Amino acid sequence: MAGEKAPEKKPGEKKPAKKKAGAKKPAEQKPIQKAAGDKKKRVKKYHASRNPVLARGIGRYSRSAMYARKALYKRKYTAPETKIEKKKKEMPRATITKPVGGDKNGGSRVVKIRKMPRYYPTEDVPRKLLSHGKKPFCEHKRRLRASITPGTVLILLTGRHRGKRVVFLKQLDTGLLLVTGPLAVNRVPLRRAHQKFVIATSTKVDLTGVKIPKHLTDSYFKKKRLRKPKHQEGEIFDTEKEKYELTEQRKVDQKAVDSQILARIKKVPQLRGYLRSTFSLSNGVYPHKLVF
Amino acid sequence: VFKRFVEIGRVAFISFGPHAGKLVAIVDVIDQNRALVDGPCSGVRRQAMPFKCMQLTDFVLKFPHSARQKCVRLAWEKENINEKWSATRWAKKIEAREKKAKMTDFDRYKVMKAKKMRNRIIKHEMKKLQKLASKKGKKPGKPEKAEKAAKGKKPEKAPKAKKPEKAPAPKAQKAQK
């Protein structure tokens, strides 16, 4: 019995030493080695199937019984938390505080950014059929006629500057042409023109090395419309911008571009006078027979 | 009444058809409507051609009828037809017409300016002479002669101003008037 107890204790001691991380000194070295050994052993050791086979494809136990037998209630693993933490932090703003006018109003209100719909249709919108190749305007291909290159003299055909000869600078993102008089020559400012309503002549001004400021885009030239609809109808027509107001920025940009171009125009004899003149048809002049 | 005749060796100008604008020599007459024609120096192969598309020029070459191309070429080069042709008014008119058709918008502007300047000069001189005439009054013969002499000067003055080549050509035509 004594003899039996001793060996029992030892294996008894060894077993908890195995399972625990090893608190005792003589046991420390061993469990480290054993832990290393255990990892290797755990990787290899898979339990045989706890679900005996009754016939091919049919196990003895059901899904829920197997859950219990495999002790999955103890084995719940979660993915590393860092990504979830990040996503949790990055929640989009739900409300925004906006200033409110009027005295004794409290100065600001907390307003929802994404509001509940104010209308639910009684019938749902039917599913649209598939279509392909219908692109929005911003994705359209912009083309430019081969006869129009930077520095070409164009003849404007429409608009308040019709008939005027003008220097082409570049094509903008929407496909419209950026064009300038220059202002000192024929009073045409930096302006957009439509390719279709323009005749390209074969006369070119050499624009190598001319730098056009990058902030001249479509949004710079777009017409600005103020709209604050108030209930008084008579005043609406006055507040809209009928008159175009020159801004200082336009003047600065005009000067920056024109100074470069005027220098090159002066080099070509008679070109300045040509740009000052306007184009017109007279008797016996047929556009289809003219070489531009 | 008629000065230019269809004969062997007559140089003709082709007015329409695939060889429009070229010179040929009549080598032989086939029938009432067609001739055997050859233009060795103008790139026209020996072929039959209807008289309708030919316009007779003043030049006649000397070679026997149905002479071979070599003979025609020799005669052509001996007479130096190409040079003589380009010196005629006919050829110059054609050239001027072509240049006018090729004028670009900028060229048209330059021509307009040149014409304007020329006309101003002419008018100015005219007015001067008219003033002279009105002062002297009773001698109509002199001022007329003076005017004609003055007109002769103008076409020489104006071309000196800045112009493209094409301008003098229409100018020359106008001066003839």
Side-chain angles (χ1 to χ4, degrees):
Chain A
M1 275 201 181
E4 287 177 0
K5 281 185 185 175
E8 280 181 9
K9 279 183 185 176
K10 281 179 191 175
E13 286 175 4
K14 282 182 186 176
K15 280 180 192 174
K18 263 192 191 178
K19 286 178 189 173
K20 291 174 190 174
K24 300 171 186 178
K25 283 187 187 177
E28 271 179 7
Q29 293 173 15
K30 284 187 185 175
I32 291 169
Q33 290 172 7
K34 280 181 186 171
D38 284 341
K39 277 182 186 173
K40 286 183 187 174
K41 281 187 185 175
R42 273 181 191 170
V43 168
K44 288 184 184 175
K45 245 191 179 178
Y46 286 113
H47 196 281
S49 169
R50 299 179 215 263
N51 196 358
V53 173
L54 297 174
R56 185 163 67 139
I58 305 174
R60 167 71 184 83
Y61 299 103
S62 69
R63 258 185 209 268
S64 45
M66 280 313 297
Y67 186 91
R69 295 189 104 224
K70 288 204 269 189
L72 288 175
Y73 53 86
K74 288 195 219 173
R75 294 198 254 165
K76 291 188 181 175
Y77 307 112
T78 51
E81 286 183 5
T82 48
K83 285 182 185 176
I84 296 175
E85 283 176 4
K86 279 185 187 175
K87 279 191 179 176
K88 274 196 174 178
K89 286 178 187 175
E90 275 179 31
M91 273 189 68
R93 293 238 53 193
T95 60
I96 195 172
T97 42
K98 283 199 167 176
V100 163
D103 31 296
K104 297 188 189 174
N105 242 347
S108 66
R109 296 274 181 277
V110 178
V111 173
K112 274 193 185 179
I113 291 178
R114 301 197 65 197
K115 299 175 197 167
M116 300 302 293
R118 64 187 133 91
Y119 171 69
Y120 288 100
T122 45
E123 285 182 38
D124 285 326
V125 180
R127 240 196 162 178
K128 288 188 176 176
L129 296 171
L130 284 174
S131 69
H132 88 287
K134 309 284 182 280
K135 290 187 188 173
F137 180 69
C138 56
E139 287 177 36
H140 283 174
K141 262 192 184 179
R142 317 290 177 197
R143 285 167 231 260
L144 188 61
R145 303 210 291 259
S147 52
I148 302 180
T149 62
T152 312
V153 172
L154 306 172
I155 301 176
L156 300 176
L157 294 173
T158 55
R160 61 183 10 240
H161 298 289
R162 57 194 92 94
K164 290 200 180 166
R165 296 183 173 104
V166 128
V167 176
F168 168 68
L169 298 173
K170 66 183 259 203
Q171 187 180 35
L172 301 170
D173 291 330
T174 49
L176 296 171
L177 313 177
L178 177 60
V179 129
T180 178
L183 190 66
V185 170
N186 52 18
R187 290 306 281 171
V188 176
L190 279 167
R191 208 170 198 263
R192 298 186 292 177
H194 191 108
Q195 211 189 135
K196 282 265 172 189
F197 303 110
V198 133
I199 295 180
T201 63
S202 49
T203 320
K204 316 248 181 206
V205 183
D206 187 22
L207 288 190
T208 51
V210 164
K211 288 185 187 172
I212 303 164
K214 284 193 181 175
H215 59 265
L216 300 175
T217 60
D218 282 294
S219 46
Y220 175 89
F221 289 106
K222 198 163 171 135
K223 286 188 187 162
K224 281 112 196 168
R225 301 246 159 102
L226 292 176
R227 284 232 174 134
K228 277 194 175 181
K230 295 187 176 178
H231 299 289
Q232 296 154 337
E233 286 185 356
E235 289 184 4
I236 288 179
F237 298 112
D238 296 337
T239 51
E240 277 189 33
K241 267 187 186 175
E242 286 174 5
K243 271 204 162 182
Y244 166 72
E245 280 148 19
L246 243 196
T247 59
E248 275 305 309
Q249 229 229 328
R250 291 249 184 175
K251 291 188 191 174
V252 166
D253 293 327
Q254 186 73 48
K255 223 183 176 185
V257 175
D258 278 0
S259 52
Q260 301 176 58
I261 297 178
L262 275 172
R264 285 151 217 266
I265 288 176
K266 285 191 179 173
K267 287 184 190 171
V268 183
Q270 298 193 305
L271 186 60
R272 191 166 185 271
Y274 175 57
L275 289 174
R276 289 194 73 198
S277 63
T278 50
F279 174 78
S280 64
L281 294 174
S282 56
N283 271 348
V285 176
Y286 305 110
H288 71 287
K289 287 212 159 176
L290 286 181
V291 169
F292 284 101
Chain B
V1 181
F2 289 106
K3 292 172 195 165
R4 300 171 183 157
F5 298 100
V6 169
E7 50 194 319
I8 311 290
R10 172 69 63 179
V11 173
F13 172 81
I14 304 175
S15 54
F16 61 86
H19 296 289
K22 295 182 190 163
L23 289 178
V24 274
I26 296 176
V27 172
D28 206 349
V29 172
I30 300 170
D31 61 12
Q32 203 202 356
N33 301 320
R34 292 180 301 153
L36 178 61
V37 122
D38 197 356
C41 302
S42 52
V44 181
R45 285 200 186 170
R46 182 174 266 241
Q47 60 191 257
M49 196 175 277
F51 287 115
K52 277 193 179 174
C53 67
M54 286 190 273
Q55 292 175 350
L56 304 178
T57 64
D58 286 328
F59 307 118
V60 186
L61 300 170
K62 263 226 143 178
F63 52 77
H65 79 268
S66 317
R68 56 194 253 259
Q69 188 170 47
K70 189 177 176 184
C71 298
V72 177
R73 187 193 291 271
L74 281 174
W76 193 292
E77 283 171 358
K78 192 179 175 196
E79 294 287 317
N80 225 339
I81 300 289
N82 284 340
E83 273 189 33
K84 285 187 185 173
W85 169 251
S86 45
T88 58
R89 286 188 187 275
W90 187 348
K92 286 185 190 166
K93 271 191 253 167
I94 294 169
E95 205 201 314
R97 215 181 299 142
E98 281 174 17
K99 280 193 175 166
K100 195 176 182 188
K102 278 191 198 166
M103 265 204 288
T104 66
D105 197 41
F106 191 21
D107 294 328
R108 260 174 261 130
Y109 168 79
K110 290 188 219 172
V111 167
M112 180 265 283
K113 283 287 169 183
K115 273 197 220 168
K116 210 175 173 185
M117 189 158 43
R118 180 173 175 263
N119 287 335
R120 285 235 172 106
I121 296 169
I122 292 175
K123 259 192 202 166
H124 184 64
E125 292 294 313
M126 274 293 286
K127 295 254 160 131
K128 270 204 245 173
L129 295 168
Q130 278 171 355
K131 264 195 176 176
L132 272 178
S134 66
K135 273 186 184 175
K136 290 190 179 174
K138 290 158 192 178
K139 286 180 184 178
K142 276 189 190 173
E144 283 180 18
K145 282 186 189 171
E147 286 169 21
K148 283 183 187 172
K151 268 193 182 174
K153 285 185 199 168
K154 299 314 146 231
E156 292 172 27
K157 273 193 191 175
K160 286 175 192 172
K162 320 171 198 168
K163 260 188 294 173
E165 309 171 325
K166 306 170 186 179
K171 214 117 300 171
Q173 295 167 37
K174 293 223 162 180
Q176 287 163 38
K177 292 182 188 173

